[in-house]
Amino acid sequence: MSRFERKILFAIGLAVFLALGGSIFLAQGALRDVYAVGVNERFGAELVHGVEARRGQLIALRVGSDQVADAVLWAVEAQLARSRSDTALDSLLTELLDRYEGVQSIRLIDDADEVLANVVRPPDPVGGALRTTIRDRETGRGAGKLRIAVEVSVPERYFERLQEAGEVADVYSRLQQQGASVSDVYAWVFGVLAFLVILVAFLIGAIVSRRVTRRVTDLADASRKVGAGDLTVALPTGARDEITELTKAFNQMVRDLRDSRTRIEYLQRIGAWQDFARRLAHEIKNPLTPIQLAAQEMSETYAGEDEDYQKKLLQARAIIEEEVATLRRLVGEFSAFAKLPRADLSPSDLCELIESIRISIPAVLEDVGHGAAAPVEVQLTCATEPIRVRMDPMMLKRGVDNILRNAIQAVYEAHPTGGGRVLVRAYQSQGSGFVEIRDNGPGIDEKNWERVFDPYYTTKAEGTGLGLAIVKKVVLEHGGEVRLDRAPEGGARFSIELPLMES
Ligand SMILES: Nc1ncnc2c1ncn2[C@@H]1O[C@H](COP(=O)(O)OP(=O)(O)O)[C@@H](O)[C@H]1O
Ligand SMILES: [Mg+2]
């Protein structure tokens, strides 16, 4: 785990711990307060008293019903002692039923289990449920034994109320006993929840910080690689955040470094080739004059009679002079390349360059077309607005000239009887000025697009391969770039890009 990740996780842990710790503490306190107010001894005692009172009421009811039963018994016994007539008994029982509200029925049963009399209170339509007790008495007075069954009832709701009150008191006393442990349970649940929250927060924090640190370490690794000279590194830019900004800036920096390294390498290479060209020109140039003089001397001082030999001598002298002339031309080009000055930049307009090229076109056509009335059409265009760049007009003209000569040569060979076209145009686009030279010649094979800019690369019998090398050197010294691809009309397209001046 990196130091950054540890710091992030520590911060998350601290924040969560403080927040949750504080709330646990507060919640526990609040719970205790609630208990202290709602669950206390006095409330409990009052509830118990209420239950006791209800119970007393019920006992009183039961005692009452016993007394009623006894009273009924006595009245019936007294009547039996007086007379056993059925009608008298019935009317007594009916009267008793009227007198004692709680009595539901009275029955007289004799020895042989025969019911002698039975009165039943008609059901009360709004009375609700009743709990009934039967008081069974025997009496020995009078003739034979008799049983009296008095059914006495108490409304069921009294019992229900007692039960409810008992339950409430029960719950209350349980709450009172558990007061301390309940708040502990809440604290536990809260603690477990807090632990889970911390765990989740840590996981999320770990994932986020791991992603951030991985990208930062990737950047650090890439920077080390760049430091070690590897300029091919490029980091992926996915998310939209500050690190992506940094990564983009880093990639741009590596690209710029790569560009300027290629530039420097090419210029160094050109410098070496210039040294080589200087030595070569020097070594070749010196013996040329003696060779030419010797050939002249030989042909002029021959005094023999052999005509054939005389002729051969003249032929040899012509060949030697021709080759020496070619060599002189090459030497001239080599030393011109060797002496190529550095570009001296000053503010200028690309359209002026186009105009100066326009003036030199007839001479170039004459030169490249070897005097023939070259059937090559050269078209030059420029924007109406000036295209302001910093340039060395002489050097850049020389560069464009080299490209133009190649193009004219190529289309002249491809269309010797006419139809060859070369287009030169200057324009500006996206902060850069461009000069584009394209033709309808045979074009260049894509695999040679890099090599044509190398010094001494040529496909021509009398070529030096220096033209495009000079172009590239000049353009690089302008802080620009020269590119090659295929023209829409099928030939080669060279494109010089120069940075526009800030207006
Ligand atoms: N417009 C063009 N069309 C076809 N080939 C071209 C064109 N321009 C340059 N080349 C190729 O690039 C080579 C290098 O050109 P350059 O450096 O000017 O040297 P040289 O003209 O002396 O051969 C040429 O020999 C030719 O093969
Ligand atoms: Mg050339």
Side-chain angles (χ1 to χ4, degrees):
M1 194 186 284
S2 72
R3 223 177 298 165
F4 181 67
E5 279 171 74
R6 276 204 297 271
K7 276 184 191 163
I8 285 189
L9 289 187
F10 178 73
I12 290 175
L14 193 67
V16 172
F17 179 77
L18 287 180
L20 285 177
S23 51
I24 287 178
F25 181 74
L26 286 179
Q28 210 170 10
L31 208 61
R32 256 192 216 120
D33 285 353
V34 167
Y35 258 94
V37 172
V39 181
N40 62 33
E41 304 268 322
R42 244 190 69 213
F43 273 108
E46 287 303 320
L47 273 177
V48 170
H49 287 159
V51 174
E52 294 293 312
R54 284 252 153 78
R55 190 168 294 142
Q57 210 179 352
L58 272 180
I59 290 169
L61 278 172
R62 187 166 299 164
V63 171
S65 62
D66 274 351
Q67 285 169 352
V68 167
D70 287 344
V72 169
L73 203 65
W74 287 329
V76 170
E77 276 178 346
Q79 175 60 36
L80 285 175
R82 279 195 299 273
S83 136
R84 295 195 72 155
S85 105
D86 282 353
T87 43
L89 261 180
D90 272 348
S91 70
L92 173 69
L93 291 185
T94 312
E95 189 206 318
L96 285 173
L97 211 59
D98 279 350
R99 195 182 315 155
Y100 298 108
E101 252 186 69
V103 176
Q104 294 300 315
S105 68
I106 306 168
R107 247 183 318 165
L108 286 186
I109 303 154
D110 72 1
D111 265 354
D113 266 352
E114 192 122 346
V115 178
L116 297 182
N118 186 18
V119 287
V120 179
R121 186 189 294 279
D124 179 357
V126 288
L130 296 173
R131 183 170 289 193
T132 306
T133 49
I134 294 176
R135 305 284 145 192
D136 226 340
R137 298 292 150 98
E138 288 193 352
T139 172
R141 275 201 249 172
K145 280 189 182 169
L146 276 180
R147 261 178 63 223
I148 302 175
V150 180
E151 214 179 351
V152 185
S153 65
V154 176
E156 180 72 32
R157 61 178 186 280
Y158 285 118
F159 292 91
E160 283 168 2
R161 277 191 202 140
L162 175 67
Q163 198 175 352
E164 279 165 19
E167 276 167 12
V168 169
D170 252 15
V171 169
Y172 199 85
S173 75
R174 227 178 304 135
L175 278 179
Q176 216 172 335
Q177 283 161 16
Q178 290 171 352
S181 66
V182 167
S183 84
D184 281 352
V185 167
Y186 276 105
W188 264 103
V189 171
F190 212 91
V192 170
L193 269 181
F195 178 73
L196 288 179
V197 168
I198 290 178
L199 203 69
V200 169
F202 262 99
L203 278 178
I204 293 174
I207 291 169
V208 168
S209 59
R210 164 89 15 119
R211 283 182 53 190
V212 169
T213 47
R214 176 154 340 119
R215 289 159 71 198
V216 171
T217 44
D218 280 356
L219 263 172
D221 287 348
S223 306
R224 266 190 289 276
K225 274 193 200 155
V226 169
D230 176 4
L231 294 182
T232 57
V233 289
L235 293 173
T237 51
R240 269 239 211 123
D241 56 17
E242 284 76 5
I243 295 184
T244 302
E245 289 302 308
L246 182 62
T247 310
K248 277 185 188 157
F250 176 82
N251 286 344
Q252 183 59 46
M253 181 192 79
V254 174
R255 267 197 302 276
D256 290 350
L257 273 177
R258 194 166 52 217
D259 284 354
S260 58
R261 188 169 76 176
T262 339
R263 197 171 292 224
I264 289 167
E265 277 172 0
Y266 186 85
L267 289 176
Q268 274 173 350
R269 210 140 44 92
I270 285 284
W273 283 113
Q274 279 179 299
D275 267 356
F276 176 71
R278 191 181 357 263
R279 282 214 303 278
L280 197 71
H282 183 74
E283 297 296 333
I284 297 173
K285 200 169 89 186
N286 284 349
L288 283 185
T289 312
I291 289 173
Q292 201 178 0
L293 287 177
Q296 273 173 15
E297 181 101 5
M298 277 221 303
S299 75
E300 279 166 13
T301 56
Y302 179 69
E305 299 293 308
D306 190 340
E307 290 222 348
D308 259 8
Y309 186 67
Q310 175 85 34
K311 225 160 114 190
K312 276 199 178 117
L313 266 181
L314 282 175
Q315 270 175 357
R317 180 182 162 182
I319 291 171
I320 288 172
E321 278 180 343
E322 198 185 313
E323 293 301 321
V324 164
T326 304
L327 279 175
R328 269 193 214 286
R329 190 176 59 76
L330 286 182
V331 163
E333 281 187 38
F334 281 148
S335 56
F337 173 61
K339 286 185 203 136
L340 205 64
R342 272 194 71 91
D344 180 16
L345 308 185
S346 57
S348 205
D349 177 5
L350 275 183
C351 288
E352 280 170 21
L353 176 77
I354 295 291
E355 287 316 308
S356 72
I357 289 170
R358 194 192 300 282
I359 293 166
S360 65
I361 291 288
V364 175
L365 282 177
E366 180 81 7
D367 201 11
V368 179
H370 303 293
V376 176
E377 180 196 330
V378 182
Q379 198 186 340
L380 296 112
T381 63
C382 190
T384 43
E385 300 274 295
I387 303 169
R388 319 257 337 138
V389 295
R390 286 168 52 78
M391 67 176 180
D392 181 331
M394 287 283 292
M395 297 289 286
L396 203 60
K397 178 170 185 293
R398 188 164 167 183
V400 176
D401 214 67
N402 285 353
I403 300 176
L404 189 62
R405 279 168 188 267
N406 285 342
I408 291 173
Q409 227 166 330
V411 296
Y412 183 67
E413 271 153 34
H415 312 273
T417 55
R421 266 183 294 114
V422 179
L423 173 69
V424 183
R425 68 181 187 116
Y427 63 95
Q428 68 180 61
S429 163
Q430 293 177 344
S432 294
F434 291 87
V435 181
E436 181 188 86
I437 301 100
R438 54 194 232 216
D439 61 66
N440 65 347
I444 299 173
D445 211 354
E446 185 168 348
K447 68 179 194 295
N448 291 325
W449 283 0
E450 289 285 330
R451 286 180 65 202
V452 292
F453 295 103
D454 285 345
Y456 309 114
Y457 173 81
T458 180
T459 56
K460 300 169 192 166
E462 294 199 346
T464 55
L466 291 176
L468 293 179
I470 291 172
V471 171
K472 184 152 180 181
K473 175 178 161 22
V474 169
V475 173
L476 289 184
E477 281 177 353
H478 277 72
E481 256 182 275
V482 55
R483 288 188 208 86
L484 166 58
D485 64 353
R486 189 160 298 283
E489 46 271 73
R493 168 162 67 183
F494 288 86
S495 187
I496 296 173
E497 178 179 356
L498 299 181
L500 276 186
M501 274 175 58
E502 311 278 323
S503 53

